[in-house]
Amino acid sequence: MAKKVCVVTGATGGIGSAAVRQMCEKYYVLVSDINQEKIDAKVAEMRALGFEAEGMVCDTSDRAQCDALAAKAASMGEVAGVIQLAGLTPGFCTHKDLVSVDVMGTMNINEAFFHVMNGGCIVDICSCAGHFMPQDIWPVDIFELALTDKQKFYDEFNEYLEDFGDEETATNMAYVWGRTFIYWSVRKAAYAFGRKKGIRLLSVSIGFVTTERSMADLAATGADVDERLGVQISYTAFGRPGTPEEVAFLFDTLIDERNSYLTGTDIYFDNGCDANDYSGQFEPFDPSTNPYDPSK
Ligand SMILES: NC(=O)c1ccc[n+]([C@@H]2O[C@H](COP(=O)([O-])OP(=O)(O)OC[C@H]3O[C@@H](n4cnc5c(N)ncnc54)[C@H](O)[C@@H]3O)[C@@H](O)[C@H]2O)c1
């Protein structure tokens, strides 16, 4: 029987590479990112391991390229999974780039694949940053524009970010509010994806997962990297960062059709940081705020 298809965007990045490797075990994988040479190398690496994989460049900020990616995936077979990892981080782009890729790009991928999937599961990458802002201050009136008028949404969302101050602040805010938007939009869209096409739609909010990019992001803050990482992992239950392979296994589990009732929600993959009240804290976790000792 022909293998079902799984598509990974941002597939040559740190988490993307692990996701490709994991999904190749069961699926015919479409490797997508923006650099042809890196895609070719990843596809060759998978084929050398005996797996079935194809590659295709897709800049997710461009809807026509997303439609072409979806058409290519559908030509390979039944699309069972999409893992949307394409994304930018502050310090390496402008706020408009970030909105174009993280926000508009995620919607582009979801909507392009809506047309070619019947059943299956789309997983959008989110972040613990998507949970930093209390819901009562969310700009929901702007978010809702995304459902009816994308250009107006893009313009008003950028204006909203620019009101926070200089470009550096606007870009940081673009990441936080962009991830908040993904958290909001996945929950908002799941009903339509489910009722019209039987597609499950999920987001995964990642805490700190060690990749070249996440380490570069820490360095770009200008803070001491070990110190800053130490603060973040002090909030985790296991006292360490996550690995790309652990996230990849989660994606595999979520896309598995035996999870057929799971949709419209966010999976918090942060090893307990949020439970310990981590939300952009700059001080290490104070265990005295949680004095529970199960051994007593
Ligand atoms: N690593 C973490 O701790 C962490 C935490 C929270 C969220 N995330 C998010 O998870 C995703 C993967 O993280 P990573 O650490 O592997 O980062 P990464 O930078 O290694 O991977 C991101 C990939 O997206 C690709 N990309 C950028 N712009 C694109 C575009 N316009 N179209 C298509 N692809 C594009 C890049 O080429 C890159 O391969 C990112 O979206 C990141 O923001 C990561």
Side-chain angles (χ1 to χ4, degrees), residues 13-15 33 58-60 85-87 125-126 175 179 207 209 211 213:
I15 298 173
D33 208 301
C58 172
D59 176 344
T60 60
L85 288 165
I125 197 68
C126 190
Y175 186 75
R179 298 295 161 159
V209 171
T211 64
R213 166 65 57 183

Side-chain angles (χ1 to χ4, degrees), residues 128 132 230-240 268 270-292:
C128 58
F132 287 172
V231 170
Q232 185 150 357
I233 66 172
S234 72
Y235 287 81
T236 62
F238 293 170
R240 65 167 176 84
Y268 219 150
D270 72 340
N271 204 241
C273 282
D274 181 63
N276 283 332
D277 209 19
Y278 176 81
S279 52
Q281 308 278 353
F282 290 94
E283 300 296 332
F285 176 61
D286 174 4
S288 70
T289 60
N290 184 356
Y292 175 59

Side-chain angles (χ1 to χ4, degrees), residues 13 36 47 133 148 214-215:
Q36 184 74 60
R47 287 182 181 165
M133 299 299 190
T148 53
S214 63
M215 294 307 286

